[in-house]
Amino acid sequence: MFDTATSRRSFIASAMAGSAALLAACAGNSAATQGTAAAAPKPVILVVSFGTSYASSRHATIGAIESDIREAYPDYDVRRAFTAQIIIDHIEKDTGRHIDNFEEAMDKLVAEGVKEVVVQPTHLMDGFEYNDIKDSLENYAPSFDKCVLGAPLLASEADQIAVAEAIKTAMERYEDENTAICLMGHGTEAESNAIYATMQGVFNNLGYNNYFVATVEATPTFDDVVTAAKDAGFTKAVLRPMMVVAGDHANNDMADPEDPESFFSVMTAAGFDVTCVIEGLGQLDTIDEIYVSHVADAIASA
């Protein structure tokens, strides 16, 4: 019961104001909920690398490639995955930081509702690992509206020439008439191992006859390069990895003076005055730009 008409009007006005505020709050919450539901996740560029346990090289090479891609594509979420589980486990044990393998990274994208993904490997060629990624990606493709794979570094003749020129520019400070510039790739049992002979041909065709290409696990061998460099009359050698990162292979298979089978030891035993440059290809801006261009090609192909 109300004592006066004035009190009744005051109560009614207050009640109406409260109801209006409640309705406005509900409407605002509903709009916010609808906005959240409507907001699609950003498209993703997943940069997939073999990986390395050498933190400084990881940052200077893989990190540099990812950074350049991120700068070129600000509308994309750029993420990292490694394919070498032994490296993933080593990093996690050493630092407590987990890096996703390829399947873990892709599973997260599916769970998050990502609809567009570009997978850009940092591999040099379409060898076993690259093709494993390609095959696995086909299984994930139905979960996305767009799902594309970028090309490896040495995919085309233009890429190969650009890589040779980038290496030449980086190594010019070591060149003289007595010095052979010797590049060490990984090597593979896959047919794509032919890329190393192809790159030797590219250097020769460009007139860079002081450049020699070897591999750790395939052909051309260290001995092949020793013979070729000796036959050309060189007495000094500068060794550099032809790998994206300068990790275990660069520090041990190439540069370890205590290992009689290392590239350094083989060249030294053959009479060469040897210098090692422990730098990955990912440290060269031109190389990183090639990966950025391959992302562009992949996006355009979708």
Side-chain angles (χ1 to χ4, degrees):
M1 180 176 291
F2 299 100
D3 292 336
T4 65
T6 300
S7 297
R8 184 166 59 251
R9 286 195 299 272
S10 176
F11 176 83
I12 291 171
S14 176
M16 290 179 65
S19 297
L22 179 62
L23 287 171
C26 290
N29 289 337
S30 176
T33 301
Q34 291 175 2
T36 300
K42 291 176 69 173
V44 169
I45 299 171
L46 180 63
V47 182
V48 184
S49 305
F50 180 84
T52 179
S53 59
Y54 286 71
S56 59
S57 183
R58 187 166 64 243
H59 174 74
T61 57
I62 295 170
I65 294 167
E66 293 168 345
S67 179
D68 280 5
I69 292 173
R70 187 173 291 108
E71 183 176 351
Y73 296 98
D75 294 333
Y76 285 76
D77 183 9
V78 178
R79 302 190 187 183
R80 168 183 292 182
F82 285 176
T83 57
Q85 192 62 46
I86 190 170
I87 290 175
I88 292 171
D89 294 343
H90 178 90
I91 293 171
E92 186 163 16
K93 181 179 180 181
D94 190 46
T95 68
R97 178 189 173 199
H98 179 74
I99 297 173
D100 289 337
N101 63 34
F102 178 68
E103 287 74 19
E104 288 173 332
M106 292 299 296
D107 288 343
K108 284 182 179 179
L109 299 185
V110 173
E112 293 169 15
V114 172
K115 294 304 179 185
E116 298 182 26
V117 58
V118 178
V119 175
Q120 180 56 59
T122 63
H123 299 73
L124 265 66
M125 71 209 47
D126 56 346
F128 291 133
E129 286 219 358
Y130 181 89
N131 283 294
D132 285 346
I133 293 169
K134 182 178 179 181
D135 293 342
S136 182
L137 192 62
E138 290 179 358
N139 296 326
Y140 284 100
S143 299
F144 301 92
D145 293 338
K146 294 181 181 179
C147 181
V148 291
L149 179 65
L153 179 63
L154 299 171
S156 70
E157 182 179 357
D159 293 334
Q160 294 156 15
I161 292 173
V163 169
E165 295 282 13
I167 294 172
K168 163 74 172 176
T169 298
M171 298 301 289
E172 279 180 337
R173 65 188 186 274
Y174 297 102
E175 292 184 2
D176 61 42
E177 60 183 9
N178 298 313
T179 301
I181 308 298
C182 303
L183 308 172
M184 188 193 75
H186 186 278
T188 175
E189 294 180 357
E191 291 182 4
S192 56
N193 189 75
I195 194 65
Y196 296 108
T198 298
M199 285 303 297
Q200 184 64 69
V202 169
F203 282 111
N204 292 344
N205 291 337
L206 291 171
Y208 306 153
N209 297 314
N210 54 330
Y211 280 73
F212 301 89
V213 178
T215 66
V216 179
E217 297 185 1
T219 58
T221 66
F222 296 165
D223 288 336
D224 291 334
V225 167
V226 166
T227 299
K230 273 195 167 185
D231 288 348
F234 294 108
T235 58
K236 297 190 294 182
V238 177
L239 314 183
R240 180 190 178 116
M242 194 165 76
M243 303 175 178
V244 171
V245 304
D248 182 69
H249 287 301
N251 285 275
N252 297 314
D253 295 308
M254 187 186 81
D256 186 0
E258 302 300 321
D259 180 356
E261 296 183 352
S262 73
F263 203 4
F264 175 91
S265 295
V266 170
M267 294 295 288
T268 299
F272 289 88
D273 179 8
V274 183
T275 300
C276 292
V277 177
I278 304 179
E279 295 176 2
L281 294 181
Q283 293 175 240
L284 304 180
D285 291 341
T286 300
I287 302 298
D288 300 348
E289 289 166 6
I290 294 173
Y291 286 115
V292 172
S293 73
H294 287 181
V295 171
D297 292 341
I299 292 173
S301 73

